[in-house]
Amino acid sequence: QVQLVESGGGLVQAGGSLRLSCAASRSIFEISYMAWFRQAPGKQREFVASITNGDNTNYADSLKGRFTISRDNAKNTVYLQMNSLKPEDTAVYYCAAGRLGKDYWGQGTQVTVSS
């Protein structure tokens, strides 16, 4: 089992930055991958970024250069740094993790970007 708790969402003006955090209930060395997804109102959930326990990262093409995923092993936490935010980035952002063939999800954190 892996419990995930996201934090760091909020309201920000366009062009601003936010950093989301996802704290895992166990060592992230024991987790194969951690990732961020987002879901905007009326849209399907979409992939944002991922990082493996080997530190390989992957990003949605449309977000490369603005979003950065990273991890703090000592804190069992993964971060999503979001810069130059746009109104279309408004969504609920979800943390996900994979371990032993199972996927786990956090409860989500709301990010709202005003124009």
Side-chain angles (χ1 to χ4, degrees):
Q1 281 273 357
V2 180
Q3 282 80 45
L4 303 169
V5 179
E6 301 103 328
S7 60
L11 175 63
V12 64
Q13 288 189 332
S17 298
L18 278 177
R19 188 178 79 159
L20 305 182
S21 301
C22 174
S25 61
R26 63 190 309 143
S27 170
I28 56 178
F29 286 116
E30 299 175 355
I31 298 171
S32 300
Y33 77 89
M34 293 184 73
W36 290 95
F37 289 76
R38 68 184 184 183
Q39 187 166 18
K43 295 188 176 182
Q44 288 189 330
R45 192 171 296 189
E46 63 174 357
F47 171 78
V48 173
S50 65
I51 187 166
T52 68
N53 57 7
D55 275 341
N56 293 313
T57 58
N58 191 27
Y59 295 91
D61 287 342
S62 62
L63 300 176
K64 287 180 181 177
R66 291 197 301 125
F67 288 17
T68 303
I69 190 169
S70 62
R71 52 194 270 170
D72 184 330
N73 297 329
K75 296 182 179 180
N76 296 331
T77 299
V78 170
Y79 302 99
L80 184 69
Q81 178 68 43
M82 305 184 294
N83 298 327
S84 302
L85 284 162
K86 305 175 182 180
E88 51 264 43
D89 294 318
T90 294
V92 178
Y93 284 71
Y94 295 92
C95 180
R99 183 177 185 271
L100 299 179
K102 291 186 178 180
D103 295 323
Y104 301 88
W105 293 88
Q107 81 288 352
T109 185
Q110 176 71 47
V111 171
T112 303
V113 184
S114 63
S115 57

